[in-house]
Amino acid sequence: MKILLIGSGGREHALGWKLAQSPLVKKIYCAPGNPGLAELGECIDIKASDNPGLADFALKHGIDLTVVGPDDCLASGVVDVFQQKGLKIFGPTQKAAQIESSKAFSKDLMWKANIPTADYAVFEDHKKALDHLNCQRYPLVVKASGLALGKGVIICQNQEQAQAALRSAMVEKAFGASGNQVIIEEFLEGQEISVHAFCDGRRAALFPASQDHKQAFDGDLGPNTGGMGSFAPVGWVTPEMMAEIEKAIVMPALKALSDLGSPFRGCLFPGLIRTSQGFKVLEFNARFGDPETQSYMMLLESDLAEILLSCAEGRLKPAEIKWSTKSAACIVAASGGYPGSYQKGFEINGIYSAQEGSGIKIFQAGTSKQGSKLVTAGGRVMGVTAVGHDLESALVNGYEALKRINFSGMHYRKDIGRRGAGK
Ligand SMILES: Nc1ncnc2c1ncn2[C@@H]1O[C@H](COP(=O)(O)OP(=O)(O)O)[C@@H](O)[C@H]1O
Ligand SMILES: [Mg+2]
């Protein structure tokens, strides 16, 4: 099989690394890829947003399966463009991807399908949204409906903060057109988990549960980032809980999308919160999580290429997918200043010696090559990912490997996985 992988982050490096282990896979092209992916395949100079260019490449090079990483590619309809040309691709169509790209669509779908989620109202009119605030309890949550790079959700402690959030999203257009519709929803309390499922339109195969760490600093302090680390599985999530999540959340969402005439083929990733009334959906994502995928790929024992192809062809066999019973953790090393402004171009040392021990893999994200040197080129530079017989040993291995790596300004969280054991 020849594979085309779209994207350039740590998630794509992890997917590419796992795909490269498949005996079915003869060649991997990455658009645009990164230096980590360049070691596994051939990086091509086509932007992840160039849908016609990508489809032309796939036709010309006889690509058997294209795998899409980023949310905005899915939202732009890359899957539809490929399918129109008869090309196989793993990911939902533009219509099905609305479950992530439009929170208003997603909430409406959940409400109709009886999927547990926070109470909400959707507004396009600023004045009506302001009036709604008068009869609410606080804290509450204001969300831009569209994609907003993880910045479109504002937790408001009182009415003044909510008014300011509405002004920012609806009047000042801080999130551009993504704020044309705004959701005002009930604030929920509890532990969050990430659930992922391979889906073929009708069937779903759930991964073990995982958690990520969004805030920049230890103790969940500081601004939100793209994700500073992840681990899987989550110790307190029982098989009964996973069965309930499948029955009450994943399968009804698949059925609802299928009933709308847009079956979901791809990775469905609901973000859940465990409230006193059980799990509720915070949002649905229509792709693999980053950095959850880095941890997951260390645990997946089955052939990823075969799974993704079977999803694209509508013949997934959930019972055949095998996961290791070990634990994995990913610790993100970020540029100094991230998620604020940061400098690039610092030399990265130690990345190869850090991987010498078994069970360690470093997935590159914001890196680039300057001659033979590897240098920083983004906020999240890499994810140091480790397996162990339990979470604690995965973390020990990961932090040990991290000690060998350095670049100017490097920062990382020291408490990845510390929420893992407790409730
Ligand atoms: N209703 C809610 N109650 C409490 N916290 C929430 C709520 N909705 C979102 N959050 C918090 O905000 C984060 C981001 O929200 P989410 O809906 O996942 O949007 P996105 O990932 O697109 O930014 C969540 O991970 C959660 O921590
Ligand atoms: Mg989220």
Side-chain angles (χ1 to χ4, degrees), residues 250-269:
V250 175
M251 296 315 292
L254 281 189
K255 180 167 187 312
L257 285 169
S258 175
D259 289 349
L260 286 174
S262 38
F264 188 98
R265 290 183 174 159
C267 179
L268 186 64
F269 155 19

Side-chain angles (χ1 to χ4, degrees), residues 51-70:
N51 295 343
L54 291 164
D56 284 347
F57 178 90
L59 278 177
K60 212 189 266 166
H61 290 79
I63 298 295
D64 300 291
L65 179 68
T66 297
V67 179
V68 190

Side-chain angles (χ1 to χ4, degrees), residues 327-340:
S327 287
C330 169
I331 306 146
V332 170
S335 291
Y338 173 80

Side-chain angles (χ1 to χ4, degrees), residues 30-360:
C30 314
N34 67 35
L37 282 160
E39 292 171 10
L40 301 167
E42 184 178 335
C43 294
I44 55 171
D45 191 18
I46 304 178
K47 286 208 180 81
S49 56
D50 180 5
N51 295 343
L54 291 164
D56 284 347
F57 178 90
L59 278 177
K60 212 189 266 166
H61 290 79
I63 298 295
D64 300 291
L65 179 68
T66 297
V67 179
V68 190
D71 53 8
D72 46 352
C73 299
L74 296 165
S76 79
V78 67
V79 171
D80 308 67
V81 172
F82 272 63
Q83 286 178 348
Q84 277 152 21
K85 296 192 189 272
L87 291 160
K88 281 183 195 147
I89 183 162
F90 177 84
T93 59
Q94 186 173 40
K95 237 177 123 190
Q98 285 180 95
I99 197 163
E100 171 168 12
S101 65
S102 165
K103 289 189 193 288
F105 172 91
S106 177
K107 292 295 278 190
D108 191 40
L109 182 120
M110 285 189 258
W111 188 74
K112 287 185 184 143
N114 229 343
I115 295 172
T117 187
D119 284 340
Y120 72 103
V122 180
F123 297 94
E124 285 169 20
D125 182 275
H126 181 223
K127 166 112 194 9
K128 285 188 184 145
L130 281 175
D131 287 347
H132 182 76
L133 296 181
N134 290 325
C135 53
Q136 296 303 304
R137 276 190 292 170
Y138 293 84
L140 61 66
V141 187
V142 172
K143 297 186 175 186
S145 178
L147 297 178
L149 302 168
K151 297 192 168 74
V153 171
I154 305 161
I155 307 215
C156 308
Q157 299 301 332
N158 52 47
Q159 192 162 350
E160 290 71 53
Q161 288 181 7
Q163 286 164 342
L166 290 178
R167 191 178 334 109
S168 158
M170 303 184 92
V171 182
E172 292 158 9
K173 297 280 176 200
F175 316 109
S178 290
N180 288 352
Q181 283 183 311
V182 162
I183 289 120
I184 300 178
E185 75 175 31
E186 172 198 9
F187 177 82
L188 300 173
E189 263 188 291
Q191 272 239 52
E192 289 182 41
I193 58 168
S194 299
V195 167
H196 288 62
F198 293 117
C199 300
D200 75 350
R202 285 180 300 145
R203 284 166 289 246
L206 272 68
F207 304 12
S210 63
Q211 282 191 329
D212 73 349
H213 298 68
K214 288 198 181 64
Q215 289 88 356
F217 308 124
D218 288 2
D220 289 340
L221 299 175
N224 270 357
T225 68
M228 294 298 288
S230 67
F231 63 92
V234 181
W236 56 266
V237 178
T238 63
E240 292 72 30
M241 288 179 193
M242 291 307 288
E244 180 60 24
I245 289 166
E246 177 167 356
K247 189 170 133 229
I249 292 170
V250 175
M251 296 315 292
L254 281 189
K255 180 167 187 312
L257 285 169
S258 175
D259 289 349
L260 286 174
S262 38
F264 188 98
R265 290 183 174 159
C267 179
L268 186 64
F269 155 19
L272 307 182
I273 187 161
R274 188 186 184 204
T275 72
S276 55
Q277 294 145 27
F279 285 102
K280 293 193 179 186
V281 178
L282 291 174
E283 65 162 347
F284 277 104
N285 298 296
R287 36 116 192 139
F288 292 96
D290 186 345
E292 289 90 338
T293 301
Q294 288 85 320
S295 288
Y296 281 138
M297 290 304 113
M298 301 293 273
L299 299 176
L300 181 64
E301 289 181 343
S302 304
D303 184 331
L304 182 64
E306 167 53 25
I307 297 171
L308 301 186
L309 186 66
S310 73
C311 288
E313 292 177 342
R315 50 169 187 83
L316 178 69
K317 296 203 177 78
E320 290 183 6
I321 298 175
K322 298 281 176 275
W323 293 91
S324 161
T325 53
K326 293 181 178 170
S327 287
C330 169
I331 306 146
V332 170
S335 291
Y338 173 80
S341 63
Y342 53 85
Q343 285 181 293
K344 301 178 187 175
F346 295 117
E347 184 169 2
I348 301 167
N349 295 303
I351 195 164
Y352 295 101
S353 69
Q355 291 179 92
E356 276 161 13
S358 67
I360 302 283

